Amino acid sequence: MRTGYTPGNWQATLRAAIEAAERETSPSEGSIPARLRAQRTSGLERESIELLAHVQIPMLALRTRYPRILNRLARLRHDRRQFDAEIATLLGRRRPQRLGFPPEVRAELLQLRIVAMGWAGGAR
């Protein structure tokens, strides 16, 4: 899927992607498990949007394919130790039951980890 991403319009692209995802998934469509899954992963939380605006990284793959993970990381960003531990867990081998993330998602997690190293005092 092409998003029309250019360095100057990533916030507009993010807003459009969120709105498109909300339009595509209606709670009244599909089977009961599909409806429950749609409710659980219906999009990005306010903290995630603030995190994306703060770090200035569009993170297209992470926010579209794994919004719940981005939401969890955004909630943890004020506690640097937990944030680092969560990213290490997601990137590490402590998840033997999982196949791992696609390369583009792993790259975005690594970018986020690098940007987070620059946060003063672990806050933000």
Side-chain angles (χ1 to χ4, degrees):
M1 176 173 93
R2 283 211 131 166
T3 59
Y5 170 74
T6 59
N9 75 349
W10 71 268
Q11 288 176 323
T13 303
L14 170 62
R15 212 170 291 115
I18 292 169
E19 290 169 2
E22 289 172 350
R23 280 192 305 272
E24 289 173 8
T25 307
S26 169
S28 62
E29 296 176 353
S31 65
I32 288 185
R35 282 181 280 183
L36 292 174
R37 189 171 45 251
Q39 289 173 0
R40 189 182 75 218
T41 62
S42 63
L44 297 178
E45 297 171 355
R46 181 183 51 81
E47 292 93 351
S48 298
I49 295 170
E50 289 173 3
L51 174 67
L52 289 170
H54 177 71
V55 298
Q56 298 289 313
I57 301 171
M59 293 194 270
L60 293 171
L62 189 60
R63 74 173 190 237
T64 57
R65 296 171 73 181
Y66 301 98
R68 68 191 177 282
I69 291 175
L70 187 56
N71 290 335
R72 187 169 63 223
L73 289 170
R75 286 189 299 268
L76 294 174
R77 75 181 176 137
H78 296 291
D79 185 343
R80 181 62 192 274
R81 274 191 210 156
Q82 285 186 345
F83 184 86
D84 289 342
E86 185 65 25
I87 289 184
T89 299
L90 291 169
L91 292 172
R93 299 173 191 250
R94 290 184 278 182
R95 297 166 41 113
Q97 74 279 15
R98 305 288 181 147
L99 295 175
F101 292 107
E104 60 273 10
V105 174
R106 289 183 59 83
E108 290 176 0
L109 288 169
L110 288 169
Q111 281 181 314
L112 186 57
R113 181 186 230 177
I114 291 166
V115 169
M117 289 178 189
W119 295 344
R124 284 220 95 180

